[in-house]
mmCIF file of all heavy atoms in Angstrom:
data_model
loop_
_atom_site.group_PDB
_atom_site.id
_atom_site.type_symbol
_atom_site.label_atom_id
_atom_site.label_comp_id
_atom_site.label_asym_id
_atom_site.label_seq_id
_atom_site.Cartn_x
_atom_site.Cartn_y
_atom_site.Cartn_z
ATOM 1 N N LEU B 1 0.835 -1.201 0.000
ATOM 2 C CA LEU B 1 0.000 0.000 0.000
ATOM 3 C C LEU B 1 0.872 1.254 0.000
ATOM 4 O O LEU B 1 1.786 1.386 0.827
ATOM 5 C CB LEU B 1 -0.916 0.015 1.231
ATOM 6 C CG LEU B 1 -1.854 1.221 1.346
ATOM 7 C CD1 LEU B 1 -2.888 1.219 0.218
ATOM 8 C CD2 LEU B 1 -2.543 1.229 2.706
ATOM 9 N N LEU B 2 0.587 2.168 -0.924
ATOM 10 C CA LEU B 2 1.288 3.443 -0.972
ATOM 11 C C LEU B 2 0.817 4.298 0.205
ATOM 12 O O LEU B 2 -0.370 4.562 0.339
ATOM 13 C CB LEU B 2 1.020 4.138 -2.303
ATOM 14 C CG LEU B 2 1.886 5.348 -2.605
ATOM 15 C CD1 LEU B 2 2.090 5.493 -4.103
ATOM 16 C CD2 LEU B 2 1.303 6.614 -2.032
ATOM 17 N N LEU B 3 1.766 4.692 1.050
ATOM 18 C CA LEU B 3 1.441 5.454 2.264
ATOM 19 C C LEU B 3 1.693 6.944 2.119
ATOM 20 O O LEU B 3 1.036 7.756 2.759
ATOM 21 C CB LEU B 3 2.253 4.927 3.446
ATOM 22 C CG LEU B 3 2.070 3.458 3.795
ATOM 23 C CD1 LEU B 3 3.031 3.050 4.901
ATOM 24 C CD2 LEU B 3 0.623 3.176 4.194
ATOM 25 N N GLY B 4 2.681 7.320 1.315
ATOM 26 C CA GLY B 4 3.033 8.721 1.175
ATOM 27 C C GLY B 4 4.347 8.864 0.443
ATOM 28 O O GLY B 4 4.764 7.960 -0.290
ATOM 29 N N MET B 5 4.993 10.009 0.678
ATOM 30 C CA MET B 5 6.286 10.266 0.051
ATOM 31 C C MET B 5 7.192 11.004 1.018
ATOM 32 O O MET B 5 6.728 11.671 1.940
ATOM 33 C CB MET B 5 6.130 11.068 -1.240
ATOM 34 C CG MET B 5 5.503 10.249 -2.362
ATOM 35 S SD MET B 5 5.536 11.067 -3.970
ATOM 36 C CE MET B 5 7.281 11.037 -4.350
ATOM 37 N N ILE B 6 8.494 10.894 0.756
ATOM 38 C CA ILE B 6 9.512 11.602 1.515
ATOM 39 C C ILE B 6 10.575 12.032 0.523
ATOM 40 O O ILE B 6 10.838 11.324 -0.463
ATOM 41 C CB ILE B 6 10.086 10.730 2.650
ATOM 42 C CG1 ILE B 6 11.040 11.534 3.540
ATOM 43 C CG2 ILE B 6 10.740 9.469 2.103
ATOM 44 C CD1 ILE B 6 11.394 10.826 4.843
ATOM 45 N N GLU B 7 11.162 13.197 0.748
ATOM 46 C CA GLU B 7 12.183 13.717 -0.162
ATOM 47 C C GLU B 7 13.261 14.412 0.644
ATOM 48 O O GLU B 7 12.987 14.986 1.696
ATOM 49 C CB GLU B 7 11.557 14.718 -1.139
ATOM 50 C CG GLU B 7 12.548 15.328 -2.113
ATOM 51 C CD GLU B 7 11.908 16.222 -3.176
ATOM 52 O OE1 GLU B 7 10.669 16.352 -3.192
ATOM 53 O OE2 GLU B 7 12.655 16.790 -3.979
ATOM 54 N N PHE B 8 14.478 14.345 0.138
ATOM 55 C CA PHE B 8 15.518 15.212 0.684
ATOM 56 C C PHE B 8 16.256 15.894 -0.449
ATOM 57 O O PHE B 8 16.315 15.411 -1.568
ATOM 58 C CB PHE B 8 16.466 14.469 1.639
ATOM 59 C CG PHE B 8 17.397 13.473 1.015
ATOM 60 C CD1 PHE B 8 18.661 13.846 0.576
ATOM 61 C CD2 PHE B 8 17.017 12.149 0.904
ATOM 62 C CE1 PHE B 8 19.526 12.913 0.023
ATOM 63 C CE2 PHE B 8 17.880 11.207 0.365
ATOM 64 C CZ PHE B 8 19.141 11.599 -0.085
ATOM 65 N N ARG B 9 16.735 17.086 -0.131
ATOM 66 C CA ARG B 9 17.523 17.895 -1.042
ATOM 67 C C ARG B 9 18.852 18.191 -0.366
ATOM 68 O O ARG B 9 18.873 18.506 0.824
ATOM 69 C CB ARG B 9 16.798 19.200 -1.357
ATOM 70 C CG ARG B 9 15.512 18.970 -2.153
ATOM 71 C CD ARG B 9 14.522 20.103 -2.071
ATOM 72 N NE ARG B 9 14.000 20.394 -0.744
ATOM 73 C CZ ARG B 9 13.109 19.675 -0.077
ATOM 74 N NH1 ARG B 9 12.638 18.561 -0.602
ATOM 75 N NH2 ARG B 9 12.694 20.035 1.109
ATOM 76 N N VAL B 10 19.930 18.090 -1.109
ATOM 77 C CA VAL B 10 21.260 18.338 -0.563
ATOM 78 C C VAL B 10 21.720 19.720 -1.007
ATOM 79 O O VAL B 10 21.617 20.073 -2.182
ATOM 80 C CB VAL B 10 22.260 17.256 -1.024
ATOM 81 C CG1 VAL B 10 23.668 17.586 -0.558
ATOM 82 C CG2 VAL B 10 21.833 15.890 -0.500
ATOM 83 N N ASP B 11 22.195 20.485 -0.052
ATOM 84 C CA ASP B 11 22.768 21.807 -0.319
ATOM 85 C C ASP B 11 24.141 21.833 0.333
ATOM 86 O O ASP B 11 24.244 21.985 1.559
ATOM 87 C CB ASP B 11 21.866 22.893 0.253
ATOM 88 C CG ASP B 11 22.425 24.288 0.045
ATOM 89 O OD1 ASP B 11 23.329 24.463 -0.795
ATOM 90 O OD2 ASP B 11 21.969 25.216 0.739
ATOM 91 N N ASP B 12 25.166 21.615 -0.473
ATOM 92 C CA ASP B 12 26.548 21.612 -0.002
ATOM 93 C C ASP B 12 26.738 20.516 1.047
ATOM 94 O O ASP B 12 26.682 19.348 0.720
ATOM 95 C CB ASP B 12 26.926 23.006 0.502
ATOM 96 C CG ASP B 12 28.430 23.211 0.573
ATOM 97 O OD1 ASP B 12 29.182 22.412 -0.003
ATOM 98 O OD2 ASP B 12 28.858 24.167 1.238
ATOM 99 N N PHE B 13 26.855 20.863 2.302
ATOM 100 C CA PHE B 13 27.162 19.906 3.374
ATOM 101 C C PHE B 13 25.938 19.536 4.203
ATOM 102 O O PHE B 13 26.057 18.889 5.239
ATOM 103 C CB PHE B 13 28.243 20.485 4.302
ATOM 104 C CG PHE B 13 27.823 21.784 4.916
ATOM 105 C CD1 PHE B 13 27.135 21.805 6.123
ATOM 106 C CD2 PHE B 13 28.081 22.989 4.286
ATOM 107 C CE1 PHE B 13 26.709 23.001 6.695
ATOM 108 C CE2 PHE B 13 27.660 24.192 4.848
ATOM 109 C CZ PHE B 13 26.978 24.194 6.051
ATOM 110 N N LYS B 14 24.756 19.936 3.755
ATOM 111 C CA LYS B 14 23.551 19.659 4.545
ATOM 112 C C LYS B 14 22.424 19.127 3.666
ATOM 113 O O LYS B 14 22.410 19.352 2.467
ATOM 114 C CB LYS B 14 23.117 20.902 5.313
ATOM 115 C CG LYS B 14 22.859 22.113 4.464
ATOM 116 C CD LYS B 14 22.648 23.343 5.340
ATOM 117 C CE LYS B 14 22.452 24.592 4.550
ATOM 118 N NZ LYS B 14 23.650 25.160 3.957
ATOM 119 N N ALA B 15 21.510 18.413 4.311
ATOM 120 C CA ALA B 15 20.335 17.872 3.623
ATOM 121 C C ALA B 15 19.084 18.344 4.350
ATOM 122 O O ALA B 15 19.057 18.397 5.583
ATOM 123 C CB ALA B 15 20.384 16.349 3.605
ATOM 124 N N GLU B 16 18.050 18.682 3.566
ATOM 125 C CA GLU B 16 16.777 19.090 4.147
ATOM 126 C C GLU B 16 15.696 18.134 3.673
ATOM 127 O O GLU B 16 15.644 17.781 2.497
ATOM 128 C CB GLU B 16 16.425 20.517 3.753
ATOM 129 C CG GLU B 16 15.148 20.989 4.446
ATOM 130 C CD GLU B 16 14.896 22.460 4.238
ATOM 131 O OE1 GLU B 16 15.417 23.253 5.028
ATOM 132 O OE2 GLU B 16 14.183 22.797 3.270
ATOM 133 N N PHE B 17 14.842 17.747 4.606
ATOM 134 C CA PHE B 17 13.810 16.742 4.365
ATOM 135 C C PHE B 17 12.414 17.351 4.357
ATOM 136 O O PHE B 17 12.135 18.301 5.079
ATOM 137 C CB PHE B 17 13.865 15.671 5.466
ATOM 138 C CG PHE B 17 15.072 14.801 5.360
ATOM 139 C CD1 PHE B 17 16.285 15.212 5.879
ATOM 140 C CD2 PHE B 17 15.003 13.576 4.721
ATOM 141 C CE1 PHE B 17 17.413 14.414 5.767
ATOM 142 C CE2 PHE B 17 16.125 12.775 4.602
ATOM 143 C CZ PHE B 17 17.332 13.198 5.128
ATOM 144 N N GLY B 18 11.543 16.747 3.555
ATOM 145 C CA GLY B 18 10.127 17.048 3.554
ATOM 146 C C GLY B 18 9.377 15.744 3.349
ATOM 147 O O GLY B 18 9.932 14.798 2.770
ATOM 148 N N TYR B 19 8.138 15.676 3.818
ATOM 149 C CA TYR B 19 7.397 14.426 3.712
ATOM 150 C C TYR B 19 5.909 14.655 3.803
ATOM 151 O O TYR B 19 5.454 15.708 4.262
ATOM 152 C CB TYR B 19 7.838 13.438 4.796
ATOM 153 C CG TYR B 19 7.950 14.016 6.191
ATOM 154 C CD1 TYR B 19 6.827 14.217 6.981
ATOM 155 C CD2 TYR B 19 9.191 14.368 6.714
ATOM 156 C CE1 TYR B 19 6.929 14.746 8.267
ATOM 157 C CE2 TYR B 19 9.303 14.893 7.989
ATOM 158 C CZ TYR B 19 8.169 15.080 8.763
ATOM 159 O OH TYR B 19 8.272 15.606 10.028
ATOM 160 N N VAL B 20 5.157 13.650 3.351
ATOM 161 C CA VAL B 20 3.699 13.687 3.405
ATOM 162 C C VAL B 20 3.198 12.253 3.538
ATOM 163 O O VAL B 20 3.782 11.326 2.978
ATOM 164 C CB VAL B 20 3.112 14.382 2.151
ATOM 165 C CG1 VAL B 20 3.479 13.642 0.876
ATOM 166 C CG2 VAL B 20 1.606 14.565 2.260
ATOM 167 N N LEU B 21 2.119 12.091 4.290
ATOM 168 C CA LEU B 21 1.582 10.770 4.564
ATOM 169 C C LEU B 21 0.064 10.793 4.426
ATOM 170 O O LEU B 21 -0.589 11.730 4.904
ATOM 171 C CB LEU B 21 1.958 10.383 6.001
ATOM 172 C CG LEU B 21 1.910 8.928 6.418
ATOM 173 C CD1 LEU B 21 2.860 8.084 5.582
ATOM 174 C CD2 LEU B 21 2.293 8.811 7.888
ATOM 175 N N ALA B 22 -0.481 9.773 3.785
ATOM 176 C CA ALA B 22 -1.934 9.645 3.671
ATOM 177 C C ALA B 22 -2.545 9.617 5.076
ATOM 178 O O ALA B 22 -1.972 9.067 6.012
ATOM 179 C CB ALA B 22 -2.301 8.375 2.909
ATOM 180 N N ARG B 23 -3.702 10.217 5.209
ATOM 181 C CA ARG B 23 -4.329 10.376 6.525
ATOM 182 C C ARG B 23 -4.556 9.050 7.246
ATOM 183 O O ARG B 23 -4.385 8.961 8.457
ATOM 184 C CB ARG B 23 -5.655 11.123 6.376
ATOM 185 C CG ARG B 23 -6.144 11.624 7.704
ATOM 186 C CD ARG B 23 -7.459 12.343 7.690
ATOM 187 N NE ARG B 23 -7.860 12.952 6.436
ATOM 188 C CZ ARG B 23 -8.995 13.598 6.285
ATOM 189 N NH1 ARG B 23 -9.819 13.720 7.303
ATOM 190 N NH2 ARG B 23 -9.322 14.117 5.131
ATOM 191 N N ASP B 24 -4.913 7.990 6.522
ATOM 192 C CA ASP B 24 -5.178 6.719 7.198
ATOM 193 C C ASP B 24 -3.905 6.040 7.706
ATOM 194 O O ASP B 24 -3.978 5.035 8.409
ATOM 195 C CB ASP B 24 -5.990 5.767 6.310
ATOM 196 C CG ASP B 24 -5.256 5.323 5.050
ATOM 197 O OD1 ASP B 24 -4.068 5.664 4.858
ATOM 198 O OD2 ASP B 24 -5.891 4.629 4.236
ATOM 199 N N ALA B 25 -2.747 6.607 7.393
ATOM 200 C CA ALA B 25 -1.470 6.064 7.881
ATOM 201 C C ALA B 25 -0.879 6.905 9.014
ATOM 202 O O ALA B 25 0.189 6.574 9.535
ATOM 203 C CB ALA B 25 -0.477 5.969 6.723
ATOM 204 N N TRP B 26 -1.560 7.975 9.390
ATOM 205 C CA TRP B 26 -1.062 8.838 10.472
ATOM 206 C C TRP B 26 -1.045 8.069 11.795
ATOM 207 O O TRP B 26 -1.905 7.229 12.075
ATOM 208 C CB TRP B 26 -1.949 10.063 10.640
ATOM 209 C CG TRP B 26 -1.870 11.062 9.513
ATOM 210 C CD1 TRP B 26 -1.069 11.005 8.404
ATOM 211 C CD2 TRP B 26 -2.639 12.257 9.380
ATOM 212 N NE1 TRP B 26 -1.303 12.093 7.597
ATOM 213 C CE2 TRP B 26 -2.257 12.879 8.178
ATOM 214 C CE3 TRP B 26 -3.616 12.860 10.166
ATOM 215 C CZ2 TRP B 26 -2.815 14.088 7.734
ATOM 216 C CZ3 TRP B 26 -4.167 14.059 9.731
ATOM 217 C CH2 TRP B 26 -3.760 14.666 8.530
#
């Protein structure tokens, strides 16, 4: 079952994360 997504972006020496989850998986 697809629950959501997660992503990270790298900027030089650091990474920043974002994510989203379907409500029934909270």
Side-chain angles (χ1 to χ4, degrees):
L1 180 66
L2 191 150
L3 301 175
M5 289 189 69
I6 186 167
E7 179 174 358
F8 70 90
R9 293 159 298 286
V10 175
D11 178 17
D12 199 14
F13 59 89
K14 57 189 177 284
E16 184 171 273
F17 289 83
Y19 46 79
V20 61
L21 199 60
R23 195 182 336 179
D24 65 4
W26 290 358

